[in-house]
PDB file of all heavy atoms in Angstrom:
ATOM      1  N   LYS A  16      32.928  59.482  -1.017  1.00  0.00           N
ATOM      2  CA  LYS A  16      33.405  60.158   0.186  1.00  0.00           C
ATOM      3  C   LYS A  16      32.246  60.622   1.053  1.00  0.00           C
ATOM      4  O   LYS A  16      32.275  60.484   2.283  1.00  0.00           O
ATOM      5  CB  LYS A  16      34.282  61.354  -0.197  1.00  0.00           C
ATOM      6  CG  LYS A  16      34.878  62.085   1.010  1.00  0.00           C
ATOM      7  CD  LYS A  16      35.795  63.203   0.580  1.00  0.00           C
ATOM      8  CE  LYS A  16      36.387  63.910   1.805  1.00  0.00           C
ATOM      9  NZ  LYS A  16      37.284  65.019   1.400  1.00  0.00           N
ATOM     10  N   ALA A  17      31.207  61.149   0.425  1.00  0.00           N
ATOM     11  CA  ALA A  17      30.047  61.608   1.190  1.00  0.00           C
ATOM     12  C   ALA A  17      29.370  60.445   1.919  1.00  0.00           C
ATOM     13  O   ALA A  17      28.860  60.611   3.028  1.00  0.00           O
ATOM     14  CB  ALA A  17      29.055  62.301   0.260  1.00  0.00           C
ATOM     15  N   ALA A  18      29.395  59.255   1.307  1.00  0.00           N
ATOM     16  CA  ALA A  18      28.733  58.098   1.911  1.00  0.00           C
ATOM     17  C   ALA A  18      29.600  57.397   2.948  1.00  0.00           C
ATOM     18  O   ALA A  18      29.104  56.948   3.982  1.00  0.00           O
ATOM     19  CB  ALA A  18      28.346  57.102   0.825  1.00  0.00           C
ATOM     20  N   ALA A  19      30.902  57.293   2.668  1.00  0.00           N
ATOM     21  CA  ALA A  19      31.793  56.479   3.508  1.00  0.00           C
ATOM     22  C   ALA A  19      32.688  57.306   4.429  1.00  0.00           C
ATOM     23  O   ALA A  19      33.367  56.736   5.279  1.00  0.00           O
ATOM     24  CB  ALA A  19      32.652  55.576   2.626  1.00  0.00           C
ATOM     25  N   GLY A  20      32.728  58.629   4.227  1.00  0.00           N
ATOM     26  CA  GLY A  20      33.535  59.489   5.089  1.00  0.00           C
ATOM     27  C   GLY A  20      34.916  59.779   4.563  1.00  0.00           C
ATOM     28  O   GLY A  20      35.541  60.765   4.965  1.00  0.00           O
ATOM     29  N   SER A  21      35.413  58.946   3.659  1.00  0.00           N
ATOM     30  CA  SER A  21      36.736  59.178   3.076  1.00  0.00           C
ATOM     31  C   SER A  21      36.828  58.411   1.771  1.00  0.00           C
ATOM     32  O   SER A  21      36.056  57.476   1.515  1.00  0.00           O
ATOM     33  CB  SER A  21      37.852  58.734   4.026  1.00  0.00           C
ATOM     34  OG  SER A  21      37.756  57.342   4.283  1.00  0.00           O
ATOM     35  N   VAL A  22      37.791  58.803   0.928  1.00  0.00           N
ATOM     36  CA  VAL A  22      38.031  58.096  -0.319  1.00  0.00           C
ATOM     37  C   VAL A  22      39.439  58.401  -0.788  1.00  0.00           C
ATOM     38  O   VAL A  22      39.971  59.490  -0.525  1.00  0.00           O
ATOM     39  CB  VAL A  22      37.001  58.491  -1.410  1.00  0.00           C
ATOM     40  CG1 VAL A  22      37.235  59.919  -1.902  1.00  0.00           C
ATOM     41  CG2 VAL A  22      37.036  57.517  -2.583  1.00  0.00           C
ATOM     42  N   VAL A  23      40.062  57.421  -1.433  1.00  0.00           N
ATOM     43  CA  VAL A  23      41.378  57.587  -2.039  1.00  0.00           C
ATOM     44  C   VAL A  23      41.236  57.234  -3.515  1.00  0.00           C
ATOM     45  O   VAL A  23      40.566  56.250  -3.860  1.00  0.00           O
ATOM     46  CB  VAL A  23      42.421  56.657  -1.385  1.00  0.00           C
ATOM     47  CG1 VAL A  23      43.761  56.742  -2.107  1.00  0.00           C
ATOM     48  CG2 VAL A  23      42.585  57.001   0.095  1.00  0.00           C
ATOM     49  N   ILE A  24      41.834  58.032  -4.387  1.00  0.00           N
ATOM     50  CA  ILE A  24      41.853  57.702  -5.811  1.00  0.00           C
ATOM     51  C   ILE A  24      43.206  57.072  -6.122  1.00  0.00           C
ATOM     52  O   ILE A  24      44.248  57.704  -5.959  1.00  0.00           O
ATOM     53  CB  ILE A  24      41.614  58.938  -6.686  1.00  0.00           C
ATOM     54  CG1 ILE A  24      40.251  59.555  -6.360  1.00  0.00           C
ATOM     55  CG2 ILE A  24      41.676  58.566  -8.170  1.00  0.00           C
ATOM     56  CD1 ILE A  24      39.946  60.814  -7.138  1.00  0.00           C
ATOM     57  N   ASP A  25      43.188  55.831  -6.531  1.00  0.00           N
ATOM     58  CA  ASP A  25      44.428  55.103  -6.800  1.00  0.00           C
ATOM     59  C   ASP A  25      45.155  55.707  -7.997  1.00  0.00           C
ATOM     60  O   ASP A  25      44.519  56.168  -8.952  1.00  0.00           O
ATOM     61  CB  ASP A  25      44.111  53.637  -7.080  1.00  0.00           C
ATOM     62  CG  ASP A  25      45.337  52.751  -6.994  1.00  0.00           C
ATOM     63  OD1 ASP A  25      46.095  52.697  -7.990  1.00  0.00           O
ATOM     64  OD2 ASP A  25      45.535  52.116  -5.953  1.00  0.00           O
ATOM     65  N   PRO A  26      46.499  55.712  -7.984  1.00  0.00           N
ATOM     66  CA  PRO A  26      47.252  56.232  -9.134  1.00  0.00           C
ATOM     67  C   PRO A  26      46.922  55.559 -10.458  1.00  0.00           C
ATOM     68  O   PRO A  26      47.089  56.165 -11.520  1.00  0.00           O
ATOM     69  CB  PRO A  26      48.709  55.980  -8.734  1.00  0.00           C
ATOM     70  CG  PRO A  26      48.714  55.977  -7.245  1.00  0.00           C
ATOM     71  CD  PRO A  26      47.396  55.372  -6.852  1.00  0.00           C
ATOM     72  N   VAL A  27      46.413  54.303 -10.441  1.00  0.00           N
ATOM     73  CA  VAL A  27      46.111  53.619 -11.700  1.00  0.00           C
ATOM     74  C   VAL A  27      44.975  54.297 -12.467  1.00  0.00           C
ATOM     75  O   VAL A  27      44.798  54.041 -13.654  1.00  0.00           O
ATOM     76  CB  VAL A  27      45.756  52.127 -11.495  1.00  0.00           C
ATOM     77  CG1 VAL A  27      46.932  51.371 -10.922  1.00  0.00           C
ATOM     78  CG2 VAL A  27      44.510  51.960 -10.643  1.00  0.00           C
ATOM     79  N   VAL A  28      44.229  55.175 -11.821  1.00  0.00           N
ATOM     80  CA  VAL A  28      43.187  55.921 -12.518  1.00  0.00           C
ATOM     81  C   VAL A  28      43.801  56.856 -13.551  1.00  0.00           C
ATOM     82  O   VAL A  28      43.217  57.101 -14.610  1.00  0.00           O
ATOM     83  CB  VAL A  28      42.321  56.709 -11.515  1.00  0.00           C
ATOM     84  CG1 VAL A  28      41.411  57.720 -12.223  1.00  0.00           C
ATOM     85  CG2 VAL A  28      41.494  55.742 -10.674  1.00  0.00           C
ATOM     86  N   TYR A  29      45.011  57.363 -13.258  1.00  0.00           N
ATOM     87  CA  TYR A  29      45.641  58.371 -14.109  1.00  0.00           C
ATOM     88  C   TYR A  29      46.829  57.852 -14.908  1.00  0.00           C
ATOM     89  O   TYR A  29      47.251  58.503 -15.859  1.00  0.00           O
ATOM     90  CB  TYR A  29      46.144  59.538 -13.247  1.00  0.00           C
ATOM     91  CG  TYR A  29      45.074  60.231 -12.468  1.00  0.00           C
ATOM     92  CD1 TYR A  29      44.885  59.953 -11.118  1.00  0.00           C
ATOM     93  CD2 TYR A  29      44.246  61.176 -13.069  1.00  0.00           C
ATOM     94  CE1 TYR A  29      43.898  60.606 -10.390  1.00  0.00           C
ATOM     95  CE2 TYR A  29      43.259  61.834 -12.344  1.00  0.00           C
ATOM     96  CZ  TYR A  29      43.090  61.532 -11.013  1.00  0.00           C
ATOM     97  OH  TYR A  29      42.111  62.171 -10.306  1.00  0.00           O
ATOM     98  N   GLN A  30      47.385  56.730 -14.518  1.00  0.00           N
ATOM     99  CA  GLN A  30      48.629  56.304 -15.158  1.00  0.00           C
ATOM    100  C   GLN A  30      48.670  54.801 -15.364  1.00  0.00           C
ATOM    101  O   GLN A  30      47.936  54.045 -14.715  1.00  0.00           O
ATOM    102  CB  GLN A  30      49.831  56.733 -14.314  1.00  0.00           C
ATOM    103  CG  GLN A  30      49.871  56.098 -12.929  1.00  0.00           C
ATOM    104  CD  GLN A  30      50.849  56.779 -11.996  1.00  0.00           C
ATOM    105  OE1 GLN A  30      50.951  58.005 -11.952  1.00  0.00           O
ATOM    106  NE2 GLN A  30      51.584  55.990 -11.230  1.00  0.00           N
ATOM    107  N   LYS A  31      49.519  54.378 -16.271  1.00  0.00           N
ATOM    108  CA  LYS A  31      49.666  52.967 -16.588  1.00  0.00           C
ATOM    109  C   LYS A  31      50.374  52.252 -15.441  1.00  0.00           C
ATOM    110  O   LYS A  31      51.420  52.700 -14.972  1.00  0.00           O
ATOM    111  CB  LYS A  31      50.490  52.816 -17.869  1.00  0.00           C
ATOM    112  CG  LYS A  31      50.485  51.430 -18.461  1.00  0.00           C
ATOM    113  CD  LYS A  31      51.173  51.439 -19.819  1.00  0.00           C
ATOM    114  CE  LYS A  31      51.100  50.083 -20.478  1.00  0.00           C
ATOM    115  NZ  LYS A  31      51.719  50.092 -21.827  1.00  0.00           N
ATOM    116  N   PRO A  32      49.804  51.133 -14.946  1.00  0.00           N
ATOM    117  CA  PRO A  32      50.446  50.431 -13.836  1.00  0.00           C
ATOM    118  C   PRO A  32      51.648  49.623 -14.288  1.00  0.00           C
ATOM    119  O   PRO A  32      51.857  49.405 -15.482  1.00  0.00           O
ATOM    120  CB  PRO A  32      49.328  49.519 -13.330  1.00  0.00           C
ATOM    121  CG  PRO A  32      48.522  49.234 -14.548  1.00  0.00           C
ATOM    122  CD  PRO A  32      48.556  50.483 -15.379  1.00  0.00           C
ATOM    123  N   ASP A  33      52.421  49.189 -13.331  1.00  0.00           N
ATOM    124  CA  ASP A  33      53.532  48.276 -13.588  1.00  0.00           C
ATOM    125  C   ASP A  33      52.978  47.019 -14.261  1.00  0.00           C
ATOM    126  O   ASP A  33      52.065  46.374 -13.735  1.00  0.00           O
ATOM    127  CB  ASP A  33      54.187  47.915 -12.250  1.00  0.00           C
ATOM    128  CG  ASP A  33      55.392  46.995 -12.406  1.00  0.00           C
ATOM    129  OD1 ASP A  33      55.495  46.302 -13.450  1.00  0.00           O
ATOM    130  OD2 ASP A  33      56.218  46.955 -11.487  1.00  0.00           O
ATOM    131  N   PRO A  34      53.497  46.644 -15.431  1.00  0.00           N
ATOM    132  CA  PRO A  34      52.940  45.477 -16.143  1.00  0.00           C
ATOM    133  C   PRO A  34      53.082  44.175 -15.369  1.00  0.00           C
ATOM    134  O   PRO A  34      52.362  43.216 -15.648  1.00  0.00           O
ATOM    135  CB  PRO A  34      53.744  45.442 -17.447  1.00  0.00           C
ATOM    136  CG  PRO A  34      54.980  46.233 -17.181  1.00  0.00           C
ATOM    137  CD  PRO A  34      54.598  47.267 -16.177  1.00  0.00           C
ATOM    138  N   ASP A  35      53.997  44.124 -14.411  1.00  0.00           N
ATOM    139  CA  ASP A  35      54.197  42.904 -13.628  1.00  0.00           C
ATOM    140  C   ASP A  35      53.401  42.892 -12.336  1.00  0.00           C
ATOM    141  O   ASP A  35      53.405  41.895 -11.615  1.00  0.00           O
ATOM    142  CB  ASP A  35      55.678  42.723 -13.307  1.00  0.00           C
ATOM    143  CG  ASP A  35      56.524  42.544 -14.559  1.00  0.00           C
ATOM    144  OD1 ASP A  35      56.045  41.874 -15.491  1.00  0.00           O
ATOM    145  OD2 ASP A  35      57.646  43.082 -14.599  1.00  0.00           O
ATOM    146  N   ALA A  36      52.718  43.996 -12.029  1.00  0.00           N
ATOM    147  CA  ALA A  36      51.987  44.090 -10.767  1.00  0.00           C
ATOM    148  C   ALA A  36      50.567  43.566 -10.938  1.00  0.00           C
ATOM    149  O   ALA A  36      49.910  43.847 -11.936  1.00  0.00           O
ATOM    150  CB  ALA A  36      51.943  45.537 -10.289  1.00  0.00           C
ATOM    151  N   PRO A  37      50.070  42.781  -9.950  1.00  0.00           N
ATOM    152  CA  PRO A  37      48.671  42.341 -10.018  1.00  0.00           C
ATOM    153  C   PRO A  37      47.735  43.517  -9.773  1.00  0.00           C
ATOM    154  O   PRO A  37      48.083  44.462  -9.051  1.00  0.00           O
ATOM    155  CB  PRO A  37      48.575  41.316  -8.879  1.00  0.00           C
ATOM    156  CG  PRO A  37      49.640  41.711  -7.918  1.00  0.00           C
ATOM    157  CD  PRO A  37      50.763  42.298  -8.733  1.00  0.00           C
ATOM    158  N   VAL A  38      46.567  43.512 -10.390  1.00  0.00           N
ATOM    159  CA  VAL A  38      45.585  44.572 -10.169  1.00  0.00           C
ATOM    160  C   VAL A  38      44.248  43.950  -9.808  1.00  0.00           C
ATOM    161  O   VAL A  38      43.893  42.882 -10.313  1.00  0.00           O
ATOM    162  CB  VAL A  38      45.428  45.482 -11.404  1.00  0.00           C
ATOM    163  CG1 VAL A  38      46.682  46.302 -11.635  1.00  0.00           C
ATOM    164  CG2 VAL A  38      45.089  44.674 -12.645  1.00  0.00           C
ATOM    165  N   ALA A  39      43.500  44.622  -8.932  1.00  0.00           N
ATOM    166  CA  ALA A  39      42.251  44.067  -8.421  1.00  0.00           C
ATOM    167  C   ALA A  39      41.043  44.472  -9.242  1.00  0.00           C
ATOM    168  O   ALA A  39      39.936  44.040  -8.961  1.00  0.00           O
ATOM    169  CB  ALA A  39      42.057  44.503  -6.964  1.00  0.00           C
ATOM    170  N   SER A  40      41.256  45.307 -10.261  1.00  0.00           N
ATOM    171  CA  SER A  40      40.135  45.800 -11.053  1.00  0.00           C
ATOM    172  C   SER A  40      40.368  45.555 -12.531  1.00  0.00           C
ATOM    173  O   SER A  40      41.490  45.715 -13.023  1.00  0.00           O
ATOM    174  CB  SER A  40      39.946  47.298 -10.827  1.00  0.00           C
ATOM    175  OG  SER A  40      39.026  47.848 -11.744  1.00  0.00           O
ATOM    176  N   PRO A  41      39.310  45.199 -13.275  1.00  0.00           N
ATOM    177  CA  PRO A  41      39.424  45.191 -14.736  1.00  0.00           C
ATOM    178  C   PRO A  41      39.550  46.617 -15.258  1.00  0.00           C
ATOM    179  O   PRO A  41      39.279  47.582 -14.548  1.00  0.00           O
ATOM    180  CB  PRO A  41      38.110  44.547 -15.190  1.00  0.00           C
ATOM    181  CG  PRO A  41      37.155  44.809 -14.076  1.00  0.00           C
ATOM    182  CD  PRO A  41      37.978  44.810 -12.821  1.00  0.00           C
ATOM    183  N   GLY A  42      39.984  46.735 -16.508  1.00  0.00           N
ATOM    184  CA  GLY A  42      40.072  48.056 -17.119  1.00  0.00           C
ATOM    185  C   GLY A  42      41.266  48.855 -16.681  1.00  0.00           C
ATOM    186  O   GLY A  42      41.300  50.070 -16.844  1.00  0.00           O
ATOM    187  N   VAL A  43      42.275  48.197 -16.127  1.00  0.00           N
ATOM    188  CA  VAL A  43      43.420  48.915 -15.558  1.00  0.00           C
ATOM    189  C   VAL A  43      44.733  48.510 -16.217  1.00  0.00           C
ATOM    190  O   VAL A  43      45.493  49.347 -16.692  1.00  0.00           O
ATOM    191  CB  VAL A  43      43.502  48.687 -14.028  1.00  0.00           C
ATOM    192  CG1 VAL A  43      44.802  49.238 -13.467  1.00  0.00           C
ATOM    193  CG2 VAL A  43      42.306  49.321 -13.326  1.00  0.00           C
ATOM    194  N   LYS A  44      45.000  47.200 -16.257  1.00  0.00           N
ATOM    195  CA  LYS A  44      46.345  46.741 -16.600  1.00  0.00           C
ATOM    196  C   LYS A  44      46.594  46.638 -18.092  1.00  0.00           C
ATOM    197  O   LYS A  44      47.660  47.013 -18.577  1.00  0.00           O
ATOM    198  CB  LYS A  44      46.593  45.382 -15.930  1.00  0.00           C
ATOM    199  CG  LYS A  44      48.001  44.845 -16.112  1.00  0.00           C
ATOM    200  CD  LYS A  44      48.194  43.590 -15.295  1.00  0.00           C
ATOM    201  CE  LYS A  44      49.609  43.061 -15.417  1.00  0.00           C
ATOM    202  NZ  LYS A  44      49.824  41.849 -14.604  1.00  0.00           N
ATOM    203  N   HIS A  45      45.633  46.133 -18.836  1.00  0.00           N
ATOM    204  CA  HIS A  45      45.846  45.819 -20.247  1.00  0.00           C
ATOM    205  C   HIS A  45      45.268  46.910 -21.148  1.00  0.00           C
ATOM    206  O   HIS A  45      44.552  47.804 -20.703  1.00  0.00           O
ATOM    207  CB  HIS A  45      45.233  44.456 -20.572  1.00  0.00           C
ATOM    208  CG  HIS A  45      45.844  43.336 -19.774  1.00  0.00           C
ATOM    209  ND1 HIS A  45      47.048  42.768 -20.117  1.00  0.00           N
ATOM    210  CD2 HIS A  45      45.435  42.728 -18.637  1.00  0.00           C
ATOM    211  CE1 HIS A  45      47.347  41.825 -19.230  1.00  0.00           C
ATOM    212  NE2 HIS A  45      46.390  41.776 -18.324  1.00  0.00           N
ATOM    213  N   THR A  46      45.578  46.815 -22.437  1.00  0.00           N
ATOM    214  CA  THR A  46      45.026  47.754 -23.416  1.00  0.00           C
ATOM    215  C   THR A  46      43.509  47.657 -23.416  1.00  0.00           C
ATOM    216  O   THR A  46      42.944  46.566 -23.468  1.00  0.00           O
ATOM    217  CB  THR A  46      45.556  47.431 -24.825  1.00  0.00           C
ATOM    218  OG1 THR A  46      46.986  47.557 -24.807  1.00  0.00           O
ATOM    219  CG2 THR A  46      44.978  48.395 -25.842  1.00  0.00           C
ATOM    220  N   HIS A  47      42.851  48.814 -23.353  1.00  0.00           N
ATOM    221  CA  HIS A  47      41.393  48.830 -23.275  1.00  0.00           C
ATOM    222  C   HIS A  47      40.819  49.951 -24.121  1.00  0.00           C
ATOM    223  O   HIS A  47      41.463  50.991 -24.321  1.00  0.00           O
ATOM    224  CB  HIS A  47      40.932  49.027 -21.827  1.00  0.00           C
ATOM    225  CG  HIS A  47      41.081  47.814 -20.971  1.00  0.00           C
ATOM    226  ND1 HIS A  47      40.148  46.803 -20.932  1.00  0.00           N
ATOM    227  CD2 HIS A  47      42.065  47.454 -20.127  1.00  0.00           C
ATOM    228  CE1 HIS A  47      40.557  45.865 -20.096  1.00  0.00           C
ATOM    229  NE2 HIS A  47      41.707  46.233 -19.588  1.00  0.00           N
ATOM    230  N   TYR A  48      39.603  49.724 -24.601  1.00  0.00           N
ATOM    231  CA  TYR A  48      38.754  50.778 -25.163  1.00  0.00           C
ATOM    232  C   TYR A  48      39.263  51.356 -26.480  1.00  0.00           C
ATOM    233  O   TYR A  48      38.759  52.366 -26.952  1.00  0.00           O
ATOM    234  CB  TYR A  48      38.573  51.937 -24.163  1.00  0.00           C
ATOM    235  CG  TYR A  48      38.442  51.521 -22.728  1.00  0.00           C
ATOM    236  CD1 TYR A  48      39.303  51.980 -21.744  1.00  0.00           C
ATOM    237  CD2 TYR A  48      37.437  50.631 -22.344  1.00  0.00           C
ATOM    238  CE1 TYR A  48      39.174  51.591 -20.412  1.00  0.00           C
ATOM    239  CE2 TYR A  48      37.294  50.239 -21.019  1.00  0.00           C
ATOM    240  CZ  TYR A  48      38.174  50.723 -20.069  1.00  0.00           C
ATOM    241  OH  TYR A  48      38.037  50.328 -18.757  1.00  0.00           O
ATOM    242  N   ALA A  49      40.259  50.760 -27.107  1.00  0.00           N
ATOM    243  CA  ALA A  49      40.964  51.413 -28.204  1.00  0.00           C
ATOM    244  C   ALA A  49      40.298  51.159 -29.558  1.00  0.00           C
ATOM    245  O   ALA A  49      39.994  50.013 -29.902  1.00  0.00           O
ATOM    246  CB  ALA A  49      42.410  50.939 -28.252  1.00  0.00           C
ATOM    247  N   PRO A  50      40.114  52.217 -30.353  1.00  0.00           N
ATOM    248  CA  PRO A  50      39.737  52.032 -31.755  1.00  0.00           C
ATOM    249  C   PRO A  50      40.965  51.629 -32.559  1.00  0.00           C
ATOM    250  O   PRO A  50      42.075  51.505 -32.019  1.00  0.00           O
ATOM    251  CB  PRO A  50      39.232  53.422 -32.154  1.00  0.00           C
ATOM    252  CG  PRO A  50      40.067  54.348 -31.332  1.00  0.00           C
ATOM    253  CD  PRO A  50      40.289  53.637 -30.013  1.00  0.00           C
ATOM    254  N   LYS A  51      40.793  51.453 -33.852  1.00  0.00           N
ATOM    255  CA  LYS A  51      41.928  51.092 -34.702  1.00  0.00           C
ATOM    256  C   LYS A  51      42.879  52.268 -34.908  1.00  0.00           C
ATOM    257  O   LYS A  51      44.072  52.087 -35.149  1.00  0.00           O
ATOM    258  CB  LYS A  51      41.408  50.582 -36.049  1.00  0.00           C
ATOM    259  CG  LYS A  51      40.608  49.292 -35.930  1.00  0.00           C
ATOM    260  CD  LYS A  51      39.951  48.895 -37.238  1.00  0.00           C
ATOM    261  CE  LYS A  51      39.075  47.661 -37.061  1.00  0.00           C
ATOM    262  NZ  LYS A  51      38.320  47.326 -38.290  1.00  0.00           N
TER     263      LYS A  51
END
């Protein structure tokens, strides 16, 4: 925000996205980072 003047935090940062929706970023849609 300081560099570009504005910023939006997408809801996918906090919640699981619709499994049928395309996403533009890795680390969002599928299971990630999980131990056993």
